[in-house]
């Protein structure tokens, strides 16, 4: 079994680790775009072009399924990715877990990037799935970038700033960016109020991994031998898992992952120069949100 995951950066690690836990025997292909990141500020057309190139680089390794481990890419590029790759390679997108979070009542907060916060896309999800629930949209300035570079001080500052915008009575937080799942416990500690019930966090990694197995007609086998291999593509070039990834438990779960302190992981080793051509062909969160079509 071979499963590919794609993102501009290491936000895909949460879903990768979820797949690894469910099927330690699965071969993994991680396709990142260090030459084009971040994708968030790009136009939808430019982002889609980058995403197609990253996806095609992964598809060249003949995976059984492709997970789009990025909320922004799922919003803008999922139809184009499916048109290009399906039915040969099923494509699984990622959406914020607003539906299951709202089902548990409220009030809830949605932590997302500034570009996503207040967007028609997120507002439509709130209107469809959170009707009658008190929802606070929280823009997390700089948090994804801090997580991407494993910058401990910047993570602490961005989490504290977002927590200050989160009402004290919030019982549930939706992690609306895949990067945020890598620092979920920091977010929990910052938002949890003394005397309140334990804060519930909703991410997407677990549901996305489970959906990929369903699309493959496979079952979870967490007890399988850990024989799965890892291939890393950096803007289409084969390389190594980037150093900041190893600051997180999710990165250290992967073959070749080595423990290292957060403060030792700020370099971006392995991201060499180069770029794509315009049409290159080359378990704690209890998540339930995933693009099922």
């Amino acid at each position: 079994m071979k499963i590919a995951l794609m993102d501009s950066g290491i936000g895909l690690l949460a879903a990768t680790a979820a797949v690894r836990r469910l099927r330690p025997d699965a071969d993994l292909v991680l396709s990142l775009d260090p030459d084009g990141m971040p994708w968030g500020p790009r136009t939808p057309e430019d982002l889609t072009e980058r995403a197609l190139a990253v996806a095609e680089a992964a598809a060249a390794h003949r995976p059984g399924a492709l997970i789009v481990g990025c909320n922004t890419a799922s919003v803008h590029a999922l139809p184009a990715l499916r048109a290009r790759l399906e039915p040969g390679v099923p494509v699984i997108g990622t959406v914020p877990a607003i539906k299951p979070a709202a089902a548990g009542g409220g009030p809830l907060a949605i932590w997302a990037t500034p570009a996503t916060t207040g967007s028609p896309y997120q507002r439509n999800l709130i209107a469809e799935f959170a009707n009658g629930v008190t929802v606070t949209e929280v823009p997390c300035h700089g948090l994804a970038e801090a997580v991407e570079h494993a910058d401990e001080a910047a993570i602490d500052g961005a989490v504290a700033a977002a927590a200050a915008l989160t009402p004290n009575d919030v019982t549930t937080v939706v992690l609306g960016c895949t990067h945020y799942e890598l620092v979920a416990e920091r977010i929990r500690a910052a938002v949890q109020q003394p005397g309140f019930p334990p804060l519930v966090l909703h991410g997407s990694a677990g549901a996305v991994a489970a959906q990929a197995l369903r699309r493959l007609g496979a079952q979870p086998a967490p007890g399988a031998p850990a024989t799965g291999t890892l291939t890393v593509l950096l803007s289409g070039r084969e390389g190594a898992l980037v150093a900041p990834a190893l600051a997180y438990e999710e990165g250290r779960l992967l073959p070749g992952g080595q423990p290292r302190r957060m403060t030792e992981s700020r370099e971006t080793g392995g991201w060499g120069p180069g770029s794509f051509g315009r049409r290159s062909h080359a378990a704690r969160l209890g998540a339930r949100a995933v693009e099922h079509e």
Side-chain angles (χ1 to χ4, degrees), residues 44-45 47-49 51-52 55-56 73-86 91 279:
E45 295 76 17
L47 187 155
T48 297
E49 185 172 289
L52 285 169
E56 289 173 343
S74 296
V75 171
H76 296 294
L78 196 58
L81 291 170
R82 286 180 167 159
R84 184 70 60 89
L85 298 179
E86 290 187 341
V91 179
R279 292 295 178 189

Side-chain angles (χ1 to χ4, degrees), residues 51-264:
L52 285 169
V54 168
E56 289 173 343
H61 289 256
R62 300 186 180 278
L66 172 68
I67 293 172
V68 184
C70 173
N71 297 93
T72 302
S74 296
V75 171
H76 296 294
L78 196 58
L81 291 170
R82 286 180 167 159
R84 184 70 60 89
L85 298 179
E86 290 187 341
V89 179
V91 179
I92 297 92
T94 303
V95 297
I98 294 173
K99 182 177 181 180
L108 65 88
I110 303 171
W111 283 35
T113 63
T116 299
T117 300
S119 66
Y121 164 73
Q122 183 161 291
R123 291 284 169 85
N124 287 339
L125 289 176
I126 293 170
E128 183 174 1
F129 297 121
N131 186 31
V133 176
T134 301
V135 177
T136 300
E137 297 180 88
V138 178
C140 301
H141 296 276
L143 181 53
E145 294 81 2
V147 172
E148 179 68 33
H149 295 99
D151 187 328
E152 187 171 357
I155 292 170
D156 286 343
V159 168
L165 299 175
T166 304
N168 290 340
D169 62 347
V170 157
T171 61
T172 304
V173 173
V174 175
L175 303 179
C177 171
T178 54
H179 281 79
Y180 302 170
E181 299 189 45
L182 300 179
V183 292
E185 293 310 311
R186 290 191 184 208
I187 293 171
R188 186 192 305 277
V191 177
Q192 180 70 58
Q193 296 295 317
F196 280 70
L199 186 72
V200 178
L201 300 181
H202 282 272
S204 303
V208 167
Q211 175 70 354
L213 293 185
R214 284 193 291 269
R215 293 292 298 271
L216 287 168
Q219 297 294 322
T227 55
T229 62
L230 177 69
T231 300
V232 178
L233 304 174
L234 304 174
S235 295
R237 310 175 299 274
E238 286 205 33
L241 196 63
V242 296
L246 305 181
Y248 304 103
E249 176 186 354
E250 291 83 351
R252 297 191 295 269
L253 277 175
L254 303 177
Q258 297 294 326
R260 56 176 73 194
R261 299 200 317 271
M262 185 81 76
T263 53
E264 293 176 336

Side-chain angles (χ1 to χ4, degrees), residues 10 37 144-151 244 248 265-268 271:
I10 64 173
M37 69 173 299
E145 294 81 2
V147 172
E148 179 68 33
H149 295 99
D151 187 328
Y248 304 103
S265 304
R266 295 178 188 174
E267 75 275 20
T268 55
W271 290 7

